[in-house]
Amino acid sequence: MKRKNFLYKTLEDFSNERKQKIKNAEEIREAYSFSNHIFCEENSLDIVDALAYKPEKISEEEKVFIVNMIKQGSYNDTILPYALSLIEKIDTENLYLLALNLSLNPQVEFVDSGYLPDNTKGKYDNKTNSIMLTNEEILNHEIFHLASSPFAFNQDHFRQSGFQFVYDDKLFGMGLNEGYTELLSRRYFSNDYKTESYTTNVYLLRLIELLYDDSKDMERDYFTANYRGPLNVFKSFASDEELEYLMNYLDWKALGIEEKNQENLMMEFMLDIVGRTNNEEKIDAAKEICTEYKQVIHNSTTKSK
């Protein structure tokens, strides 16, 4: 029997599916009380599973459909070249959410920086499927948010985007998500990790990526909004306390409120975690990343003087 609809499913079908997931999450929300450290509590992570986007294996026919949908969609012309670029760079099975969100005609608005949160130049809102940005170059980053965020249909309680999860007014994984989003932006659009945006987070995420057996699995987790993926991988080599330490730092750094001069300490911390893999190739790669990071920071400090 042929699977019903797949990507061909209507917006109403998708909306009903999300509403059922939200209903499941609401029931869990009533059953548990949540701390600020959702990533360290198994019970609280049940809510993430209730909302999880877990697509079935995509056939070759369906992959062709995804590509054609992206190429032929009648959406904002500003987004078009970035969307087409992702077709060439990202595994097609990871482009389902991009195709779906594009089919809902995302809006792009250029604004003055005063309309955006402090220290940001762009924002994708998956409650409204819209992007605000100060200049077009920022789409290098925001297109990845668009491609990794299940449309939330104006939902306030529960939202996901890549490695970021919103529960009521609590935001979890922001630093993890922004770091990896910028990592992908730099990897696929500029081939240069020496970025002025989320620099430390990008390099820490490169080290976290080494904990995966295959870096493509981390991409898969990101594009399917699998918040638990990198947390479970990290916990294979580290304690809950170390995970909490890392997640807090990534958030603080992304928000610009971390203690000064902690960057090298965090790089050494992650170098130690990668060392627990007992994989010499990964350890050598981690050392190279740390050396490159120190040089980037040195050059940035020298330039600012």
Side-chain angles (χ1 to χ4, degrees):
M1 182 176 177
K2 187 174 181 180
R3 189 191 316 167
K4 181 183 177 183
N5 286 333
F6 172 66
L7 192 61
Y8 333 114
K9 75 167 111 180
T10 65
L11 177 57
E12 182 180 1
D13 291 330
F14 187 77
S15 177
N16 289 337
E17 177 184 312
R18 294 296 297 172
K19 286 176 181 176
Q20 182 58 51
K21 289 180 180 295
I22 289 167
K23 180 181 178 182
N24 296 341
E26 289 279 10
E27 293 173 355
I28 295 171
R29 177 171 172 254
E30 293 176 2
Y32 296 127
S33 61
F34 295 86
S35 77
N36 287 325
H37 304 305
I38 195 169
F39 44 83
C40 290
E41 295 187 10
E42 286 302 316
N43 284 345
S44 60
L45 282 169
D46 288 344
I47 203 169
V48 179
D49 288 338
L51 284 168
Y53 168 71
K54 298 177 180 177
E56 301 173 68
K57 184 176 177 58
I58 296 174
S59 70
E60 292 304 314
E61 178 186 4
E62 291 164 338
K63 288 180 181 179
V64 171
F65 190 89
I66 287 176
V67 171
N68 288 339
M69 189 171 183
I70 294 172
K71 287 182 175 179
Q72 299 169 12
S74 56
Y75 47 87
N76 192 292
D77 289 342
T78 307
I79 297 177
L80 180 59
Y82 297 89
L84 295 179
S85 181
L86 289 192
I87 292 175
E88 303 299 323
K89 302 172 187 295
I90 305 300
D91 292 344
T92 305
E93 64 180 7
N94 292 337
L95 297 179
Y96 175 92
L97 289 176
L98 175 66
L100 181 61
N101 286 336
L102 289 176
S103 74
L104 303 176
N105 193 23
Q107 301 302 302
V108 178
E109 182 181 3
F110 291 93
V111 298
D112 294 331
S113 58
Y115 285 91
L116 295 167
D118 291 344
N119 302 317
T120 60
K121 298 178 181 178
K123 177 185 178 182
Y124 170 68
D125 186 348
N126 67 333
K127 287 174 61 178
T128 58
N129 198 35
S130 62
I131 297 174
M132 289 195 300
L133 63 166
T134 55
N135 62 78
E136 187 174 324
E137 183 181 350
I138 307 303
L139 271 174
N140 285 348
H141 180 98
E142 299 305 324
I143 191 70
F144 285 102
H145 286 314
L146 181 72
S148 61
S149 303
F151 185 23
F153 295 99
N154 294 309
Q155 169 60 224
D156 288 319
H157 290 310
F158 311 110
R159 286 183 286 136
Q160 306 142 276
S161 178
F163 296 141
Q164 179 173 298
F165 173 71
V166 176
Y167 161 66
D168 281 348
D169 60 345
K170 300 183 180 74
L171 173 62
F172 303 95
M174 179 265 192
L176 179 73
N177 191 50
E178 292 297 345
Y180 194 67
T181 299
E182 186 63 18
L183 185 158
L184 294 180
S185 173
R186 293 290 161 174
R187 175 173 292 161
Y188 290 118
F189 283 112
S190 70
N191 196 31
D192 181 5
Y193 297 111
K194 303 175 183 65
T195 169
E196 294 182 3
S197 299
Y198 305 114
T199 304
T200 300
N201 291 49
V202 167
Y203 278 87
L204 287 172
L205 263 296
R206 289 178 66 189
L207 294 171
I208 294 171
E209 190 177 52
L210 291 174
L211 300 178
Y212 278 77
D213 291 335
D214 185 339
S215 62
K216 290 294 183 181
D217 291 336
M218 190 168 186
E219 283 194 12
R220 180 66 170 159
D221 284 340
Y222 174 81
F223 285 110
T224 56
N226 182 10
Y227 175 82
R228 290 193 72 158
L231 308 190
N232 287 339
V233 169
F234 186 87
K235 287 172 68 174
S236 298
F237 303 99
S239 66
D240 284 352
E241 291 74 19
E242 287 171 319
L243 175 60
E244 183 175 337
Y245 175 59
L246 172 68
M247 294 291 283
N248 282 337
Y249 180 82
L250 287 169
D251 284 350
W252 296 336
K253 188 65 181 178
L255 293 169
I257 58 175
E258 92 293 349
E259 293 183 25
K260 298 295 183 182
N261 304 318
Q262 294 296 304
E263 295 94 342
N264 288 333
L265 181 63
M266 286 303 303
M267 297 300 287
E268 292 297 325
F269 166 76
M270 275 307 305
L271 185 59
D272 175 67
I273 301 296
V274 175
R276 300 176 196 176
T277 65
N278 295 318
N279 182 310
E280 291 301 323
E281 185 176 345
K282 290 180 179 292
I283 293 170
D284 288 342
K287 290 177 179 178
E288 290 181 10
I289 291 170
C290 289
T291 299
E292 181 182 318
Y293 174 76
K294 290 177 181 178
Q295 187 61 50
V296 169
I297 295 300
H298 173 75
N299 293 343
S300 176
T301 303
T302 303
K303 184 178 179 180
S304 63
K305 290 181 178 179

